[in-house]
Amino acid sequence: MEDILKKITDRTKADLMIRKQNTSLSDLRAMENYSRETISFHDGIKYGSGIIAEHKRQSPSKGSFKCPASLEDIVKGYEAAGASAISCLTDEPFFGGTLKDLQEARTHVDIPILRKDFMVDLYQVHEARAYGADAILLIAACLNDEELITLSAEAINLDLDILFEVHDLEELNRVKKVVKDFKSSSYVIGVNNRDLKKFKTDIQISKDLLEHFPKKALAISESGISGPEVVQELQDLGYRGFLIGENFMKTNDPGRSCAKFIKATTL
Ligand SMILES: O=C(O)c1ccccc1NCC(=O)[C@H](O)[C@H](O)COP(=O)(O)O
């Protein structure tokens, strides 16, 4: 596991001990969103613009984005722009997000929402459900094979879609072993273009890995997508989804930036 991921997941595990003491599983199950009907993240991407627009206040690589817009304006703006889904960061120490952000976003939009966090424990899958997510992120680099299987089974059980994230062929092969036993053919695999050691992004990683994808997977490219021409290039290769944060959050009006971006990808 890369150092920054270890740092983040160590902190996540420590924070989880406190959250579990404060809020039991039955408290989570009693929350209103826990029993709502989820919206398909997979279908939202497959049949929409493919843009997964991210709400993130800060990141380890870029620091604070100092975006003056409110969460409400941002997520409503993303939906109005034609985003297929929203990615909502809920990690607080490194990304400045909260579960309350997820819960609030849910009240403002009707498109699917991905809980963007570092999932290492079944409890977090229940949190995602309780706070209004439709999908969770499972990062192969943070999980061993058994954990990947256990967390994905729980997500499916709770009607949550899964975005499996990989950085290289070895991780992709591990995810392929997990999804081959899935009854449903609707699974989503994302390639993260960010090198977590150097914090540099390179879309060549997406280009190189696509030929190794399982045929039925919906392919997503994540991070460092700098403009509509990159989306076009990756779309031509077979990518269907594009997870974009910085490009929108570094502007004063992320919704407007997203609208311009989506318009330019469909010209
Ligand atoms: O963004 C980071 O610095 C980062 C560092 C360590 C782990 C994950 C990190 N980012 C999470 C993401 O995957 C991105 O927020 C997402 O793909 C959007 O990327 P971008 O469009 O480059 O903001």
Side-chain angles (χ1 to χ4, degrees):
M1 193 190 294
E2 308 291 354
D3 288 350
I4 183 69
L5 283 183
K6 173 138 178 42
K7 227 168 138 181
I8 295 174
T9 51
D10 282 352
R11 175 65 195 260
T12 301
K13 284 172 191 167
D15 288 351
L16 269 172
M17 292 208 283
I18 299 164
R19 290 217 295 279
K20 282 179 182 179
Q21 275 168 13
N22 292 339
T23 312
S24 68
L25 261 188
S26 38
D27 291 336
L28 291 176
R29 288 197 180 100
M31 287 171 70
E32 206 182 322
N33 281 320
Y34 195 91
S35 48
R36 65 178 265 277
E37 203 171 313
T38 53
I39 313 162
S40 172
F41 176 73
H42 173 278
D43 290 358
I45 296 162
K46 187 169 180 185
Y47 302 112
S49 64
I51 302 298
I52 306 160
E54 186 155 278
H55 180 267
K56 88 171 156 182
R57 296 193 173 86
Q58 65 189 55
S59 74
S61 59
K62 296 289 157 76
S64 171
F65 291 109
K66 297 192 174 74
C67 177
S70 67
L71 178 135
E72 176 174 357
D73 286 346
I74 294 171
V75 298
K76 280 184 174 170
Y78 283 160
E79 183 174 45
S84 279
I86 283 164
S87 164
C88 184
L89 255 313
T90 57
D91 171 88
E92 191 159 8
F94 297 87
F95 292 86
T98 61
L99 279 163
K100 290 268 175 223
D101 286 343
L102 171 60
Q103 194 174 37
E104 188 192 333
R106 177 76 286 149
T107 66
H108 298 310
V109 298
D110 294 316
I111 53 175
I113 306 180
L114 168 76
R115 178 187 183 186
K116 191 89 192 309
D117 212 315
F118 299 82
M119 311 295 272
V120 288
D121 193 300
L122 280 176
Y123 179 86
Q124 291 169 289
V125 185
H126 291 269
E127 280 183 330
R129 190 64 168 100
Y131 283 84
D134 300 288
I136 56 160
L137 177 73
L138 293 183
I139 304 174
C142 297
L143 301 163
N144 63 32
D145 292 2
E146 203 187 316
E147 290 165 334
L148 269 179
I149 293 167
T150 315
L151 292 188
S152 56
E154 194 70 321
I156 292 168
N157 212 14
L158 294 178
D159 264 335
L160 293 167
D161 277 354
I162 304 152
L163 168 56
F164 290 99
E165 178 179 299
V166 301
H167 294 87
D168 57 31
L169 186 55
E170 191 245 314
E171 289 173 11
L172 178 58
N173 285 335
R174 288 177 51 223
V175 166
K176 274 160 91 170
K177 274 200 247 156
V178 174
V179 296
K180 86 173 172 7
D181 294 328
F182 276 18
K183 284 201 190 86
S184 157
S185 58
S186 56
Y187 47 85
V188 188
I189 302 178
V191 176
N192 199 326
N193 301 309
R194 181 168 281 111
D195 174 332
L196 294 177
K197 273 198 179 134
K198 298 179 194 138
F199 279 157
K200 269 179 64 180
T201 56
D202 183 357
I203 62 151
Q204 190 61 40
I205 306 173
S206 283
K207 294 183 189 171
D208 293 344
L209 282 185
L210 191 66
E211 63 171 302
H212 303 284
F213 264 57
K215 291 272 172 297
K216 288 191 288 186
L218 198 69
I220 310 292
S221 182
E222 307 170 26
S223 304
I225 297 176
S226 51
E229 65 292 346
V230 178
V231 167
Q232 189 62 62
E233 195 183 349
L234 291 168
Q235 248 166 2
D236 291 346
L237 294 173
Y239 278 92
R240 299 300 302 271
F242 309 92
L243 178 47
I244 303 173
E246 178 185 345
N247 211 11
F248 302 148
M249 290 300 300
K250 70 182 181 190
T251 68
N252 285 343
D253 187 346
R256 194 151 170 265
S257 311
C258 181
K260 271 204 229 158
F261 190 102
I262 292 177
K263 208 165 166 211
T265 61
T266 47
L267 283 179

